[in-house]
Amino acid sequence: MLSGEQLLKQAFSEVAAIKYGQVPEYRHIFSLRYRIRKHKLLRSLERKTAPEPRAHTGRFRLKYLVLAIIMACVLVLAGVTGFYIVNGFKFTTKPTHTLVLTTGWEDAPEFIEQRYSIDVPEEYSIYREETDSSLIYFIEYRNNDTFIRFEQYTKKSFNATYNTEGYDYEEIDDGRIKGFYIRWEDYGALVWDNGDYVLEIKSTLSKEETIELAKTARIR
Amino acid sequence: MLSIYLSMVETDEQRTFIEQLYKTYERKMYGAAFDILHNKHDAEDAVHSAFVRIIENIEKIIQIPADKQGYYIVIISRNISIDICRKKNNSEMPIENIDEIEDRISFDDVIDSRLTAESIRKCIFSLRESDFEVLYLNLLCELPAADIAGILAIKPTTVSQRIYKAKKRLIKIIEEQKC
C-alpha cells in the first residue's frame, strides 16, 4: 500500500512524462554561431579532462627517442612509409593509401566562419548539403550519373586518406589553385589550400574542368 | 566567466554525460525555449545558457535518475527563457525577501482513500506551471531548496517560499477535489 506522499510522487512522475511529451521538437537547424559556441564548450571540456602527461625521466625520454628514430629509419628504408610536403600538404604514404594533412594552420580560422561555393554547370542540381560541425561543410550536385561534390574544411581539421594503390597524385600549381589532384577510375579529387581553408572538389569531370571549377570558388 | 563553470567539470564521465545530454535533449530544450521566446536566436541563446548552467550544477544533475532528467532539463531551459523574456521586456522579478520557511507540510495526511490516481493527476495538472516545476524538483527529484536555487539561479529563501506556497496551493486543490 502506497503512502500519500508516494502516490503523489507517482502522479507527479506521470504528469511530468505527459508534459515532457508535449514539449515540441522542431526540425530546427542550429545556427553557425550556436554550433561554434557549443563546439567551444565541448572542446573546453576535453581540455579540462585530458589526462596529464606522464613525467618521464631523461633516460626514458632518450630511450623512446632512439627507438622512434630506429623504427622510422627501418620503415622508410623498407619503403613501407614516408612523408613529404607539397604545396602546404603533408603526405604520409602507406603501401595502399596516403594520409594527407595540412601544415601551418596557426593563422587560419579555427571554425568555418565563411562558407565558400562554386559555380556548377546549370544541368547539375543540389543532391545533398551537410555540415557535420563548424569544421566541415559539403554540398553535392548531381546530374544523372555524374556528380560534383564540393567540400570545405578548416585547415586544422583536414585529415584525409586517399587510395593510392595503383594511383598517384600530381601537384597542381597554376598560380591560383595550389594543391594536388588524384584520379581514380570514375572520378578525381582536387584539393587546394586557399589560405584560410582547405577546399576540395570530388567530381566525375576531367582534371582540367575540375581546376576551372575550382577557380570559381568564392565566399557565399 | 566560462572557465569558472568549466572548472567544475572534472572527469571524463562528466564530459561524456554533457555530450549525451546534448544528443538527447538539445532539440527538446530548443522547443521549450522557442515556445516562450518565439525567436530562433533567443531560443538558441537560452539552450546554450542552459548547458552552461547544467555544467555549473553538474554534480547535482548527474545524480538525478535518467528517467527524471528530461523534464528536469526542460525546466532549466524554460526558466532561462523566462529570464531572457523578462530582461527583454525590462520587467524586474518581484523582490522576495522572506526568511527561510520551515517546511513541515506532509501529503500523507492529505491524500487518503477518497482520492484515485486519476484525481491526483488532475489536481497536479491544475497547478500553475511554476508551482509544478518547483514541486517536481523538490518532491520527485528530491532536491533541497539550495540545489534548486542553483539550477534556477534564484535565492534559496525564494525557493523555500515557492515550495511552501506551491504545496499549500496543491493541498487546497486536493481538498477541493475531495468535496
Side-chain angles (χ1 to χ4, degrees):
Chain A
M1 181 84 178
L2 294 174
S3 69
E5 196 97 10
Q6 287 168 326
L7 278 169
L8 190 70
K9 281 186 182 180
Q10 194 178 314
F12 255 98
S13 182
E14 288 162 4
V15 172
I18 294 167
K19 283 177 180 270
Y20 181 75
Q22 287 169 346
V23 176
E25 276 192 64
Y26 299 109
R27 293 170 66 88
H28 174 65
I29 297 169
F30 285 92
S31 69
L32 186 61
R33 178 173 163 268
Y34 173 85
R35 282 180 282 129
I36 289 170
R37 293 167 83 194
K38 173 182 169 181
H39 186 77
K40 278 183 179 171
L41 190 65
L42 289 173
R43 274 195 55 183
S44 306
L45 304 186
E46 281 169 22
R47 275 202 295 275
K48 180 70 191 166
T49 56
E52 290 291 318
R54 283 175 60 189
H56 294 298
T57 63
R59 183 187 264 183
F60 265 114
R61 227 178 271 143
L62 185 65
K63 189 176 123 186
Y64 286 124
L65 186 64
V66 170
L67 197 64
I69 291 168
I70 292 169
M71 282 181 71
C73 291
V74 168
L75 289 169
V76 170
L77 288 171
V80 174
T81 187
F83 76 84
Y84 52 93
I85 293 170
V86 174
N87 286 341
F89 293 94
K90 181 184 170 188
F91 297 79
T92 305
T93 55
K94 306 280 181 184
T96 58
H97 59 279
T98 300
L99 306 174
V100 186
L101 300 167
T102 48
T103 58
W105 59 70
E106 291 78 13
D107 297 323
E110 198 177 354
F111 302 99
I112 295 178
E113 291 158 5
Q114 292 171 313
R115 281 191 189 166
Y116 279 71
S117 66
I118 50 173
D119 295 334
V120 297
E122 278 180 12
E123 61 271 25
Y124 286 83
S125 54
I126 294 176
Y127 176 69
R128 63 179 170 153
E129 183 175 19
E130 276 181 34
T131 176
D132 285 343
S133 64
S134 50
L135 306 174
I136 301 165
Y137 161 73
F138 81 78
I139 184 164
E140 187 172 327
Y141 303 87
R142 287 207 176 177
N143 175 32
N144 298 323
D145 293 329
T146 62
F147 73 91
I148 297 168
R149 180 170 160 155
F150 176 68
E151 301 177 14
Q152 181 182 351
Y153 301 85
T154 61
K155 288 174 75 168
K156 193 177 176 181
S157 71
F158 182 74
N159 181 347
T161 303
Y162 298 98
N163 171 18
T164 45
E165 191 174 23
Y167 305 97
D168 208 351
Y169 38 78
E170 63 177 286
E171 188 181 343
I172 302 291
D173 186 0
D174 72 347
R176 286 180 64 187
I177 305 296
K178 203 171 174 182
F180 63 92
Y181 181 80
I182 182 164
R183 182 82 200 182
W184 299 281
E185 280 171 22
D186 302 318
Y187 67 99
L190 173 67
V191 183
W192 74 105
D193 176 349
N194 79 345
D196 288 332
Y197 302 99
V198 172
L199 305 175
E200 176 171 17
I201 296 174
K202 286 194 179 94
S203 172
T204 42
L205 298 173
S206 69
K207 182 182 83 178
E208 289 70 26
E209 287 171 321
T210 307
I211 293 170
E212 283 310 304
L213 197 57
K215 289 176 184 170
T216 68
R218 62 177 185 276
I219 296 165
R220 270 160 71 160
Chain B
M1 186 79 165
L2 192 62
S3 60
I4 299 167
Y5 303 135
L6 298 180
S7 67
M8 300 175 118
V9 178
E10 295 290 349
T11 65
D12 278 342
E13 185 200 354
Q14 290 177 348
R15 179 172 56 81
T16 309
F17 176 73
I18 295 291
E19 286 172 348
Q20 198 56 47
L21 292 187
Y22 262 111
K23 277 185 194 161
T24 315
Y25 301 118
E26 189 178 40
R27 289 192 180 278
K28 216 54 165 170
M29 291 164 78
Y30 176 84
F34 188 81
D35 268 10
I36 292 166
L37 296 161
H38 306 290
N39 176 301
K40 287 178 186 177
H41 298 294
D42 288 346
E44 287 185 353
D45 282 349
V47 176
H48 181 74
S49 300
F51 271 105
V52 172
R53 195 173 289 175
I54 287 166
I55 290 167
E56 197 181 9
N57 291 279
I58 184 108
E59 296 284 357
K60 297 157 201 163
I61 293 171
I62 212 160
Q63 307 288 337
I64 303 287
D67 63 324
K68 296 186 179 69
Q69 275 168 7
Y71 198 70
Y72 180 98
I73 284 164
V74 163
I75 290 174
I76 297 176
S77 186
R78 274 178 48 83
N79 276 271
I80 287 175
S81 304
I82 291 167
D83 286 347
I84 292 172
C85 205
R86 280 201 186 107
K87 278 176 194 161
K88 282 201 138 188
N89 297 330
N90 288 324
S91 59
E92 292 287 321
M93 284 273 285
I95 298 165
E96 294 171 281
N97 190 17
I98 291 170
D99 293 336
E100 192 89 41
I101 292 165
E102 202 178 337
D103 178 12
R104 290 206 191 97
I105 295 173
S106 166
F107 286 94
D108 283 338
D109 304 328
V110 183
I111 295 170
D112 56 32
S113 56
R114 281 177 288 172
L115 290 162
T116 61
E118 179 57 39
S119 60
I120 300 170
R121 278 199 297 273
K122 208 172 159 186
C123 294
I124 294 169
F125 266 119
S126 308
L127 282 171
R128 62 173 81 156
E129 199 58 34
S130 58
D131 285 349
F132 176 79
E133 287 178 356
V134 84
L135 289 180
Y136 177 86
L137 296 171
N138 181 243
L139 290 177
L140 203 64
C141 300
E142 295 178 348
L143 293 173
D147 287 358
I148 298 172
I151 295 156
L152 303 183
I154 50 178
K155 289 180 188 171
T157 48
T158 309
V159 174
S160 299
Q161 188 205 17
R162 279 195 195 173
I163 293 168
Y164 179 78
K165 284 187 174 176
K167 282 183 176 177
K168 283 280 206 189
R169 278 193 279 264
L170 180 58
I171 287 170
K172 193 178 172 215
I173 294 168
I174 291 170
E175 294 295 354
E176 284 169 4
Q177 181 74 27
K178 283 183 193 170
C179 298

mmCIF file with all atom_site columns, all heavy atoms in Angstrom, chain A residues 48-68:
data_model
loop_
_atom_site.group_PDB
_atom_site.id
_atom_site.type_symbol
_atom_site.label_atom_id
_atom_site.label_alt_id
_atom_site.label_comp_id
_atom_site.label_asym_id
_atom_site.label_entity_id
_atom_site.label_seq_id
_atom_site.pdbx_PDB_ins_code
_atom_site.Cartn_x
_atom_site.Cartn_y
_atom_site.Cartn_z
_atom_site.occupancy
_atom_site.B_iso_or_equiv
_atom_site.pdbx_formal_charge
_atom_site.auth_seq_id
_atom_site.auth_comp_id
_atom_site.auth_asym_id
_atom_site.auth_atom_id
_atom_site.pdbx_PDB_model_num
ATOM 1   N N   . LYS A 1 48 ? 39.926 20.191 -20.345 1.00 0.00 ? 48 LYS A N   1
ATOM 2   C CA  . LYS A 1 48 ? 39.901 20.079 -18.891 1.00 0.00 ? 48 LYS A CA  1
ATOM 3   C C   . LYS A 1 48 ? 40.107 18.638 -18.446 1.00 0.00 ? 48 LYS A C   1
ATOM 4   O O   . LYS A 1 48 ? 40.730 18.375 -17.423 1.00 0.00 ? 48 LYS A O   1
ATOM 5   C CB  . LYS A 1 48 ? 38.547 20.596 -18.387 1.00 0.00 ? 48 LYS A CB  1
ATOM 6   C CG  . LYS A 1 48 ? 38.374 20.551 -16.902 1.00 0.00 ? 48 LYS A CG  1
ATOM 7   C CD  . LYS A 1 48 ? 39.248 21.559 -16.205 1.00 0.00 ? 48 LYS A CD  1
ATOM 8   C CE  . LYS A 1 48 ? 39.247 21.314 -14.706 1.00 0.00 ? 48 LYS A CE  1
ATOM 9   N NZ  . LYS A 1 48 ? 40.303 22.035 -14.049 1.00 0.00 ? 48 LYS A NZ  1
ATOM 10  N N   . THR A 1 49 ? 39.563 17.695 -19.256 1.00 0.00 ? 49 THR A N   1
ATOM 11  C CA  . THR A 1 49 ? 39.592 16.309 -18.825 1.00 0.00 ? 49 THR A CA  1
ATOM 12  C C   . THR A 1 49 ? 40.724 15.507 -19.452 1.00 0.00 ? 49 THR A C   1
ATOM 13  O O   . THR A 1 49 ? 40.856 14.329 -19.187 1.00 0.00 ? 49 THR A O   1
ATOM 14  C CB  . THR A 1 49 ? 38.272 15.614 -19.153 1.00 0.00 ? 49 THR A CB  1
ATOM 15  O OG1 . THR A 1 49 ? 38.041 15.742 -20.541 1.00 0.00 ? 49 THR A OG1 1
ATOM 16  C CG2 . THR A 1 49 ? 37.124 16.203 -18.378 1.00 0.00 ? 49 THR A CG2 1
ATOM 17  N N   . ALA A 1 50 ? 41.523 16.156 -20.278 1.00 0.00 ? 50 ALA A N   1
ATOM 18  C CA  . ALA A 1 50 ? 42.627 15.434 -20.900 1.00 0.00 ? 50 ALA A CA  1
ATOM 19  C C   . ALA A 1 50 ? 43.596 14.969 -19.825 1.00 0.00 ? 50 ALA A C   1
ATOM 20  O O   . ALA A 1 50 ? 43.914 15.720 -18.899 1.00 0.00 ? 50 ALA A O   1
ATOM 21  C CB  . ALA A 1 50 ? 43.351 16.347 -21.889 1.00 0.00 ? 50 ALA A CB  1
ATOM 22  N N   . PRO A 1 51 ? 44.050 13.731 -19.912 1.00 0.00 ? 51 PRO A N   1
ATOM 23  C CA  . PRO A 1 51 ? 44.943 13.255 -18.862 1.00 0.00 ? 51 PRO A CA  1
ATOM 24  C C   . PRO A 1 51 ? 46.247 14.030 -18.834 1.00 0.00 ? 51 PRO A C   1
ATOM 25  O O   . PRO A 1 51 ? 46.739 14.456 -19.871 1.00 0.00 ? 51 PRO A O   1
ATOM 26  C CB  . PRO A 1 51 ? 45.179 11.794 -19.241 1.00 0.00 ? 51 PRO A CB  1
ATOM 27  C CG  . PRO A 1 51 ? 44.802 11.684 -20.668 1.00 0.00 ? 51 PRO A CG  1
ATOM 28  C CD  . PRO A 1 51 ? 43.809 12.755 -20.959 1.00 0.00 ? 51 PRO A CD  1
ATOM 29  N N   . GLU A 1 52 ? 46.770 14.214 -17.665 1.00 0.00 ? 52 GLU A N   1
ATOM 30  C CA  . GLU A 1 52 ? 48.040 14.912 -17.509 1.00 0.00 ? 52 GLU A CA  1
ATOM 31  C C   . GLU A 1 52 ? 49.144 14.068 -18.130 1.00 0.00 ? 52 GLU A C   1
ATOM 32  O O   . GLU A 1 52 ? 49.160 12.843 -17.965 1.00 0.00 ? 52 GLU A O   1
ATOM 33  C CB  . GLU A 1 52 ? 48.344 15.098 -16.022 1.00 0.00 ? 52 GLU A CB  1
ATOM 34  C CG  . GLU A 1 52 ? 47.434 16.088 -15.336 1.00 0.00 ? 52 GLU A CG  1
ATOM 35  C CD  . GLU A 1 52 ? 47.681 17.508 -15.807 1.00 0.00 ? 52 GLU A CD  1
ATOM 36  O OE1 . GLU A 1 52 ? 48.853 17.880 -15.954 1.00 0.00 ? 52 GLU A OE1 1
ATOM 37  O OE2 . GLU A 1 52 ? 46.704 18.233 -16.035 1.00 0.00 ? 52 GLU A OE2 1
ATOM 38  N N   . PRO A 1 53 ? 50.062 14.703 -18.875 1.00 0.00 ? 53 PRO A N   1
ATOM 39  C CA  . PRO A 1 53 ? 51.152 13.910 -19.425 1.00 0.00 ? 53 PRO A CA  1
ATOM 40  C C   . PRO A 1 53 ? 52.010 13.322 -18.315 1.00 0.00 ? 53 PRO A C   1
ATOM 41  O O   . PRO A 1 53 ? 52.231 13.972 -17.299 1.00 0.00 ? 53 PRO A O   1
ATOM 42  C CB  . PRO A 1 53 ? 51.948 14.920 -20.268 1.00 0.00 ? 53 PRO A CB  1
ATOM 43  C CG  . PRO A 1 53 ? 51.537 16.249 -19.773 1.00 0.00 ? 53 PRO A CG  1
ATOM 44  C CD  . PRO A 1 53 ? 50.164 16.124 -19.202 1.00 0.00 ? 53 PRO A CD  1
ATOM 45  N N   . ARG A 1 54 ? 52.454 12.109 -18.554 1.00 0.00 ? 54 ARG A N   1
ATOM 46  C CA  . ARG A 1 54 ? 53.279 11.461 -17.530 1.00 0.00 ? 54 ARG A CA  1
ATOM 47  C C   . ARG A 1 54 ? 54.668 12.083 -17.520 1.00 0.00 ? 54 ARG A C   1
ATOM 48  O O   . ARG A 1 54 ? 55.235 12.406 -18.556 1.00 0.00 ? 54 ARG A O   1
ATOM 49  C CB  . ARG A 1 54 ? 53.403 9.973  -17.856 1.00 0.00 ? 54 ARG A CB  1
ATOM 50  C CG  . ARG A 1 54 ? 52.149 9.208  -17.490 1.00 0.00 ? 54 ARG A CG  1
ATOM 51  C CD  . ARG A 1 54 ? 52.267 7.783  -17.941 1.00 0.00 ? 54 ARG A CD  1
ATOM 52  N NE  . ARG A 1 54 ? 53.400 7.102  -17.339 1.00 0.00 ? 54 ARG A NE  1
ATOM 53  C CZ  . ARG A 1 54 ? 53.801 5.895  -17.733 1.00 0.00 ? 54 ARG A CZ  1
ATOM 54  N NH1 . ARG A 1 54 ? 53.188 5.278  -18.706 1.00 0.00 ? 54 ARG A NH1 1
ATOM 55  N NH2 . ARG A 1 54 ? 54.823 5.313  -17.152 1.00 0.00 ? 54 ARG A NH2 1
ATOM 56  N N   . ALA A 1 55 ? 55.167 12.253 -16.340 1.00 0.00 ? 55 ALA A N   1
ATOM 57  C CA  . ALA A 1 55 ? 56.504 12.820 -16.231 1.00 0.00 ? 55 ALA A CA  1
ATOM 58  C C   . ALA A 1 55 ? 57.524 11.714 -16.475 1.00 0.00 ? 55 ALA A C   1
ATOM 59  O O   . ALA A 1 55 ? 57.506 10.678 -15.810 1.00 0.00 ? 55 ALA A O   1
ATOM 60  C CB  . ALA A 1 55 ? 56.691 13.394 -14.833 1.00 0.00 ? 55 ALA A CB  1
ATOM 61  N N   . HIS A 1 56 ? 58.349 11.902 -17.509 1.00 0.00 ? 56 HIS A N   1
ATOM 62  C CA  . HIS A 1 56 ? 59.369 10.908 -17.810 1.00 0.00 ? 56 HIS A CA  1
ATOM 63  C C   . HIS A 1 56 ? 60.733 11.412 -17.375 1.00 0.00 ? 56 HIS A C   1
ATOM 64  O O   . HIS A 1 56 ? 61.002 12.603 -17.412 1.00 0.00 ? 56 HIS A O   1
ATOM 65  C CB  . HIS A 1 56 ? 59.410 10.637 -19.309 1.00 0.00 ? 56 HIS A CB  1
ATOM 66  C CG  . HIS A 1 56 ? 58.161 9.995  -19.819 1.00 0.00 ? 56 HIS A CG  1
ATOM 67  N ND1 . HIS A 1 56 ? 57.728 8.773  -19.395 1.00 0.00 ? 56 HIS A ND1 1
ATOM 68  C CD2 . HIS A 1 56 ? 57.267 10.424 -20.723 1.00 0.00 ? 56 HIS A CD2 1
ATOM 69  C CE1 . HIS A 1 56 ? 56.616 8.452  -20.011 1.00 0.00 ? 56 HIS A CE1 1
ATOM 70  N NE2 . HIS A 1 56 ? 56.305 9.450  -20.830 1.00 0.00 ? 56 HIS A NE2 1
ATOM 71  N N   . THR A 1 57 ? 61.554 10.507 -17.016 1.00 0.00 ? 57 THR A N   1
ATOM 72  C CA  . THR A 1 57 ? 62.918 10.901 -16.687 1.00 0.00 ? 57 THR A CA  1
ATOM 73  C C   . THR A 1 57 ? 63.685 11.084 -17.993 1.00 0.00 ? 57 THR A C   1
ATOM 74  O O   . THR A 1 57 ? 63.254 10.643 -19.054 1.00 0.00 ? 57 THR A O   1
ATOM 75  C CB  . THR A 1 57 ? 63.587 9.801  -15.871 1.00 0.00 ? 57 THR A CB  1
ATOM 76  O OG1 . THR A 1 57 ? 63.653 8.639  -16.688 1.00 0.00 ? 57 THR A OG1 1
ATOM 77  C CG2 . THR A 1 57 ? 62.833 9.508  -14.596 1.00 0.00 ? 57 THR A CG2 1
ATOM 78  N N   . GLY A 1 58 ? 64.824 11.728 -17.916 1.00 0.00 ? 58 GLY A N   1
ATOM 79  C CA  . GLY A 1 58 ? 65.643 11.958 -19.105 1.00 0.00 ? 58 GLY A CA  1
ATOM 80  C C   . GLY A 1 58 ? 66.043 10.656 -19.777 1.00 0.00 ? 58 GLY A C   1
ATOM 81  O O   . GLY A 1 58 ? 66.023 10.545 -20.999 1.00 0.00 ? 58 GLY A O   1
ATOM 82  N N   . ARG A 1 59 ? 66.323 9.635  -18.977 1.00 0.00 ? 59 ARG A N   1
ATOM 83  C CA  . ARG A 1 59 ? 66.755 8.352  -19.533 1.00 0.00 ? 59 ARG A CA  1
ATOM 84  C C   . ARG A 1 59 ? 65.640 7.691  -20.353 1.00 0.00 ? 59 ARG A C   1
ATOM 85  O O   . ARG A 1 59 ? 65.845 7.214  -21.441 1.00 0.00 ? 59 ARG A O   1
ATOM 86  C CB  . ARG A 1 59 ? 67.193 7.435  -18.387 1.00 0.00 ? 59 ARG A CB  1
ATOM 87  C CG  . ARG A 1 59 ? 67.714 6.110  -18.873 1.00 0.00 ? 59 ARG A CG  1
ATOM 88  C CD  . ARG A 1 59 ? 67.970 5.185  -17.712 1.00 0.00 ? 59 ARG A CD  1
ATOM 89  N NE  . ARG A 1 59 ? 69.350 5.220  -17.303 1.00 0.00 ? 59 ARG A NE  1
ATOM 90  C CZ  . ARG A 1 59 ? 69.843 4.455  -16.336 1.00 0.00 ? 59 ARG A CZ  1
ATOM 91  N NH1 . ARG A 1 59 ? 69.074 3.652  -15.674 1.00 0.00 ? 59 ARG A NH1 1
ATOM 92  N NH2 . ARG A 1 59 ? 71.122 4.490  -16.043 1.00 0.00 ? 59 ARG A NH2 1
ATOM 93  N N   . PHE A 1 60 ? 64.389 7.780  -19.816 1.00 0.00 ? 60 PHE A N   1
ATOM 94  C CA  . PHE A 1 60 ? 63.233 7.217  -20.524 1.00 0.00 ? 60 PHE A CA  1
ATOM 95  C C   . PHE A 1 60 ? 63.012 7.921  -21.850 1.00 0.00 ? 60 PHE A C   1
ATOM 96  O O   . PHE A 1 60 ? 62.786 7.318  -22.874 1.00 0.00 ? 60 PHE A O   1
ATOM 97  C CB  . PHE A 1 60 ? 61.975 7.360  -19.660 1.00 0.00 ? 60 PHE A CB  1
ATOM 98  C CG  . PHE A 1 60 ? 61.675 6.130  -18.855 1.00 0.00 ? 60 PHE A CG  1
ATOM 99  C CD1 . PHE A 1 60 ? 61.746 6.155  -17.469 1.00 0.00 ? 60 PHE A CD1 1
ATOM 100 C CD2 . PHE A 1 60 ? 61.333 4.941  -19.485 1.00 0.00 ? 60 PHE A CD2 1
ATOM 101 C CE1 . PHE A 1 60 ? 61.477 5.030  -16.726 1.00 0.00 ? 60 PHE A CE1 1
ATOM 102 C CE2 . PHE A 1 60 ? 61.059 3.811  -18.742 1.00 0.00 ? 60 PHE A CE2 1
ATOM 103 C CZ  . PHE A 1 60 ? 61.141 3.851  -17.352 1.00 0.00 ? 60 PHE A CZ  1
ATOM 104 N N   . ARG A 1 61 ? 63.091 9.271  -21.787 1.00 0.00 ? 61 ARG A N   1
ATOM 105 C CA  . ARG A 1 61 ? 62.843 10.074 -22.973 1.00 0.00 ? 61 ARG A CA  1
ATOM 106 C C   . ARG A 1 61 ? 63.846 9.712  -24.075 1.00 0.00 ? 61 ARG A C   1
ATOM 107 O O   . ARG A 1 61 ? 63.486 9.529  -25.218 1.00 0.00 ? 61 ARG A O   1
ATOM 108 C CB  . ARG A 1 61 ? 62.964 11.563 -22.608 1.00 0.00 ? 61 ARG A CB  1
ATOM 109 C CG  . ARG A 1 61 ? 61.823 12.389 -23.142 1.00 0.00 ? 61 ARG A CG  1
ATOM 110 C CD  . ARG A 1 61 ? 61.953 13.815 -22.733 1.00 0.00 ? 61 ARG A CD  1
ATOM 111 N NE  . ARG A 1 61 ? 61.322 14.076 -21.457 1.00 0.00 ? 61 ARG A NE  1
ATOM 112 C CZ  . ARG A 1 61 ? 61.785 14.912 -20.545 1.00 0.00 ? 61 ARG A CZ  1
ATOM 113 N NH1 . ARG A 1 61 ? 62.899 15.567 -20.739 1.00 0.00 ? 61 ARG A NH1 1
ATOM 114 N NH2 . ARG A 1 61 ? 61.147 15.104 -19.422 1.00 0.00 ? 61 ARG A NH2 1
ATOM 115 N N   . LEU A 1 62 ? 65.122 9.599  -23.698 1.00 0.00 ? 62 LEU A N   1
ATOM 116 C CA  . LEU A 1 62 ? 66.181 9.281  -24.653 1.00 0.00 ? 62 LEU A CA  1
ATOM 117 C C   . LEU A 1 62 ? 65.939 7.900  -25.260 1.00 0.00 ? 62 LEU A C   1
ATOM 118 O O   . LEU A 1 62 ? 66.070 7.711  -26.468 1.00 0.00 ? 62 LEU A O   1
ATOM 119 C CB  . LEU A 1 62 ? 67.539 9.338  -23.939 1.00 0.00 ? 62 LEU A CB  1
ATOM 120 C CG  . LEU A 1 62 ? 68.750 9.140  -24.833 1.00 0.00 ? 62 LEU A CG  1
ATOM 121 C CD1 . LEU A 1 62 ? 68.865 10.288 -25.840 1.00 0.00 ? 62 LEU A CD1 1
ATOM 122 C CD2 . LEU A 1 62 ? 70.033 9.053  -24.005 1.00 0.00 ? 62 LEU A CD2 1
ATOM 123 N N   . LYS A 1 63 ? 65.508 6.967  -24.409 1.00 0.00 ? 63 LYS A N   1
ATOM 124 C CA  . LYS A 1 63 ? 65.263 5.602  -24.867 1.00 0.00 ? 63 LYS A CA  1
ATOM 125 C C   . LYS A 1 63 ? 64.185 5.583  -25.957 1.00 0.00 ? 63 LYS A C   1
ATOM 126 O O   . LYS A 1 63 ? 64.347 4.986  -27.012 1.00 0.00 ? 63 LYS A O   1
ATOM 127 C CB  . LYS A 1 63 ? 64.825 4.749  -23.662 1.00 0.00 ? 63 LYS A CB  1
ATOM 128 C CG  . LYS A 1 63 ? 64.752 3.271  -23.936 1.00 0.00 ? 63 LYS A CG  1
ATOM 129 C CD  . LYS A 1 63 ? 64.417 2.535  -22.659 1.00 0.00 ? 63 LYS A CD  1
ATOM 130 C CE  . LYS A 1 63 ? 63.172 1.718  -22.828 1.00 0.00 ? 63 LYS A CE  1
ATOM 131 N NZ  . LYS A 1 63 ? 62.723 1.099  -21.588 1.00 0.00 ? 63 LYS A NZ  1
ATOM 132 N N   . TYR A 1 64 ? 63.077 6.305  -25.699 1.00 0.00 ? 64 TYR A N   1
ATOM 133 C CA  . TYR A 1 64 ? 61.968 6.326  -26.659 1.00 0.00 ? 64 TYR A CA  1
ATOM 134 C C   . TYR A 1 64 ? 62.366 7.058  -27.940 1.00 0.00 ? 64 TYR A C   1
ATOM 135 O O   . TYR A 1 64 ? 61.945 6.695  -29.039 1.00 0.00 ? 64 TYR A O   1
ATOM 136 C CB  . TYR A 1 64 ? 60.733 6.968  -26.034 1.00 0.00 ? 64 TYR A CB  1
ATOM 137 C CG  . TYR A 1 64 ? 60.055 6.056  -25.037 1.00 0.00 ? 64 TYR A CG  1
ATOM 138 C CD1 . TYR A 1 64 ? 59.822 6.466  -23.726 1.00 0.00 ? 64 TYR A CD1 1
ATOM 139 C CD2 . TYR A 1 64 ? 59.651 4.769  -25.416 1.00 0.00 ? 64 TYR A CD2 1
ATOM 140 C CE1 . TYR A 1 64 ? 59.214 5.621  -22.813 1.00 0.00 ? 64 TYR A CE1 1
ATOM 141 C CE2 . TYR A 1 64 ? 59.042 3.924  -24.499 1.00 0.00 ? 64 TYR A CE2 1
ATOM 142 C CZ  . TYR A 1 64 ? 58.826 4.346  -23.204 1.00 0.00 ? 64 TYR A CZ  1
ATOM 143 O OH  . TYR A 1 64 ? 58.231 3.518  -22.309 1.00 0.00 ? 64 TYR A OH  1
ATOM 144 N N   . LEU A 1 65 ? 63.165 8.120  -27.792 1.00 0.00 ? 65 LEU A N   1
ATOM 145 C CA  . LEU A 1 65 ? 63.600 8.896  -28.957 1.00 0.00 ? 65 LEU A CA  1
ATOM 146 C C   . LEU A 1 65 ? 64.435 8.026  -29.885 1.00 0.00 ? 65 LEU A C   1
ATOM 147 O O   . LEU A 1 65 ? 64.220 7.984  -31.101 1.00 0.00 ? 65 LEU A O   1
ATOM 148 C CB  . LEU A 1 65 ? 64.381 10.124 -28.487 1.00 0.00 ? 65 LEU A CB  1
ATOM 149 C CG  . LEU A 1 65 ? 64.776 11.126 -29.563 1.00 0.00 ? 65 LEU A CG  1
ATOM 150 C CD1 . LEU A 1 65 ? 63.545 11.757 -30.194 1.00 0.00 ? 65 LEU A CD1 1
ATOM 151 C CD2 . LEU A 1 65 ? 65.667 12.214 -28.983 1.00 0.00 ? 65 LEU A CD2 1
ATOM 152 N N   . VAL A 1 66 ? 65.397 7.315  -29.307 1.00 0.00 ? 66 VAL A N   1
ATOM 153 C CA  . VAL A 1 66 ? 66.274 6.431  -30.096 1.00 0.00 ? 66 VAL A CA  1
ATOM 154 C C   . VAL A 1 66 ? 65.439 5.356  -30.772 1.00 0.00 ? 66 VAL A C   1
ATOM 155 O O   . VAL A 1 66 ? 65.591 5.078  -31.972 1.00 0.00 ? 66 VAL A O   1
ATOM 156 C CB  . VAL A 1 66 ? 67.365 5.813  -29.195 1.00 0.00 ? 66 VAL A CB  1
ATOM 157 C CG1 . VAL A 1 66 ? 68.122 4.721  -29.944 1.00 0.00 ? 66 VAL A CG1 1
ATOM 158 C CG2 . VAL A 1 66 ? 68.329 6.885  -28.719 1.00 0.00 ? 66 VAL A CG2 1
ATOM 159 N N   . LEU A 1 67 ? 64.512 4.780  -30.034 1.00 0.00 ? 67 LEU A N   1
ATOM 160 C CA  . LEU A 1 67 ? 63.642 3.736  -30.573 1.00 0.00 ? 67 LEU A CA  1
ATOM 161 C C   . LEU A 1 67 ? 62.808 4.264  -31.748 1.00 0.00 ? 67 LEU A C   1
ATOM 162 O O   . LEU A 1 67 ? 62.675 3.611  -32.788 1.00 0.00 ? 67 LEU A O   1
ATOM 163 C CB  . LEU A 1 67 ? 62.717 3.232  -29.457 1.00 0.00 ? 67 LEU A CB  1
ATOM 164 C CG  . LEU A 1 67 ? 62.035 1.908  -29.698 1.00 0.00 ? 67 LEU A CG  1
ATOM 165 C CD1 . LEU A 1 67 ? 63.042 0.770  -29.802 1.00 0.00 ? 67 LEU A CD1 1
ATOM 166 C CD2 . LEU A 1 67 ? 61.038 1.619  -28.564 1.00 0.00 ? 67 LEU A CD2 1
ATOM 167 N N   . ALA A 1 68 ? 62.280 5.478  -31.588 1.00 0.00 ? 68 ALA A N   1
ATOM 168 C CA  . ALA A 1 68 ? 61.441 6.078  -32.632 1.00 0.00 ? 68 ALA A CA  1
ATOM 169 C C   . ALA A 1 68 ? 62.260 6.328  -33.888 1.00 0.00 ? 68 ALA A C   1
ATOM 170 O O   . ALA A 1 68 ? 61.786 6.067  -35.009 1.00 0.00 ? 68 ALA A O   1
ATOM 171 C CB  . ALA A 1 68 ? 60.840 7.389  -32.126 1.00 0.00 ? 68 ALA A CB  1
#
